[in-house]
Amino acid sequence: MRVLLSTIWTNLQDSVSKQDIRGQIWDYMEAQNLADFPRPVHHRIPNFKAFKMARTVKVNPDAPQKNARFFVLNSKKTLLVPTPRLRTGLFNKITPPPGATKDILRKCATSQGVRNYSTPVGLDSRVLVDLVVVGSVAVSEKGWRIGKGEGYADLEYAMMVSMGAVSQGTPVVTVVHDCQVVDIPETLLEEHDLTVDYILTPTRVIATGCERPKPTGIVWSKISCEMMGRMPVLRSLRCREERAGKDVTLRDTRRPLPSLESGSVQGEDVPSCTVYVGNLPRDARVSELKRALSARGAAPSRLTWQGPQRRAFLHYREPAEAWQAISRLQGFCLGANTAKVALARQQGASGPAGGRAGEPHPDP
């Protein structure tokens, strides 16, 4: 195996990239039949057969960590699992039924079990994570890690830092096959990349002694408007940090985008699909606005025109589309006027006089 791993690394020496390393690891594991379901392993965290695990509290939701989640539950510890792709929040606490057998615990550890036996943990919960377990595609003995390229483990850790759930002293563990332990050039690491303190393989436990600082919070310049639309938890965290005076400028905007005033991730903060466009010219026509929106690639599925108020509301099918439109309309001008563009929120029944319940209005 050492010879084969050396061959992998030799092939990676010239102009190496993270994707080069992922591809070589995935190809090798497929060729050697080292992975269990789901197959193929490409674009996944490989789920190796020989699986060892240590004590933990937070374990990622991917299939390869199913045994780790079972180990935690069987040890009668608290298990926190991030919501898949962070669509509905950050954490779920897995609570097996009273008197659960090992078979039931194994079901609780599956993706279906996570959905059926979990309760949300909000951002205001004073949760402390004692150990973090993440998956990896490749990892070095120095503790440098490469995931499958979507950045969720890095983002989850950064969110936990922001809510005070972890600190620089919280151990981070990854569980991989021996073939996934390779040299990784330090030049590939970025400030948001999460490093690991321990590597568990079928044959050994590696204490990396990594001294590279872990992320100290969310790097907002790495977050896109599209991500904000998909992950309401990000919007809530961004709002908090904006109020605290932090720079929350997003990756694809020149200035901070307006954020929703308030809202809990767990069912209280409903993503808006409507964009407010104000400060339109007094003589503007709806046809003129529609043409300008199309030219910017921000044509809505429906448009509410309020010419006398010099404004319009653009209605999109998904929150992600609304955030993308806001990004594309930064600096948008119609005639001689620079339009004001913001995410609209739904006005409740007790809204300002003259407004109808459920009518969108600008988010101040």
Side-chain angles (χ1 to χ4, degrees), residues 14 40 45 57 105 113 122 127 132 182 201 240 287 294 304 307 313 319 338:
D14 297 328
I45 301 296
V57 171
L105 293 181
V127 61
V132 175
V182 298
T201 81
R240 292 183 180 199
S287 58
S294 295
T304 300
F313 292 94
T338 299

Side-chain angles (χ1 to χ4, degrees), residues 294-307:
S294 295
R296 286 264 187 153
S301 58
R302 184 168 59 88
L303 186 150
T304 300
W305 175 252
Q306 296 182 356

Side-chain angles (χ1 to χ4, degrees), residues 66 69-70 73 94 96-97 100-117:
K66 179 178 65 176
R69 295 191 292 271
F70 166 74
L73 293 174
I94 312 305
T101 63
K102 285 191 175 183
D103 285 342
I104 295 296
L105 293 181
R106 293 187 190 281
K107 290 180 181 178
C108 292
T110 65
S111 57
Q112 184 64 43
V114 169
R115 289 191 291 269
N116 293 343
Y117 297 98

Side-chain angles (χ1 to χ4, degrees), residues 109-250:
T110 65
S111 57
Q112 184 64 43
V114 169
R115 289 191 291 269
N116 293 343
Y117 297 98
S118 66
T119 54
V121 177
L123 294 178
D124 293 324
S125 301
R126 296 183 181 276
V127 61
L128 292 176
V129 175
D130 299 313
L131 188 67
V132 175
V133 178
V134 296
S136 301
V137 171
V139 65
S140 78
E141 293 190 10
K142 294 181 178 179
W144 302 338
R145 170 189 172 274
I146 294 177
K148 57 181 179 285
E150 296 178 342
Y152 286 107
D154 304 320
L155 186 55
E156 289 161 7
Y157 183 88
M159 289 181 179
M160 288 190 288
V161 172
S162 296
M163 65 184 289
V166 297
S167 67
Q168 286 290 324
T170 305
V172 178
V173 176
T174 191
V175 186
V176 297
H177 193 277
D178 287 279
C179 76
Q180 293 171 264
V181 181
V182 298
D183 290 331
I184 297 175
E186 188 174 8
T187 54
L188 296 182
L189 271 65
E190 300 181 63
E191 60 178 327
H192 66 277
D193 286 332
L194 178 62
T195 57
V196 302
D197 301 296
Y198 296 94
I199 305 168
L200 277 65
T201 81
T203 64
R204 54 184 174 152
V205 175
I206 303 169
T208 67
C210 185
E211 296 182 357
R212 183 184 178 93
K214 294 182 175 62
T216 57
I218 298 173
V219 181
W220 293 104
S221 60
K222 297 286 185 180
I223 304 297
S224 68
C225 291
E226 190 269 338
M227 291 171 67
M228 293 286 288
R230 284 190 286 111
M231 305 175 192
V233 64
L234 272 179
R235 300 215 325 260
S236 294
L237 283 172
R238 181 172 179 267
C239 182
R240 292 183 180 199
E241 299 204 354
E242 187 174 32
R243 287 172 178 162
K246 296 184 180 181
D247 183 0
V248 295
T249 305
L250 302 182

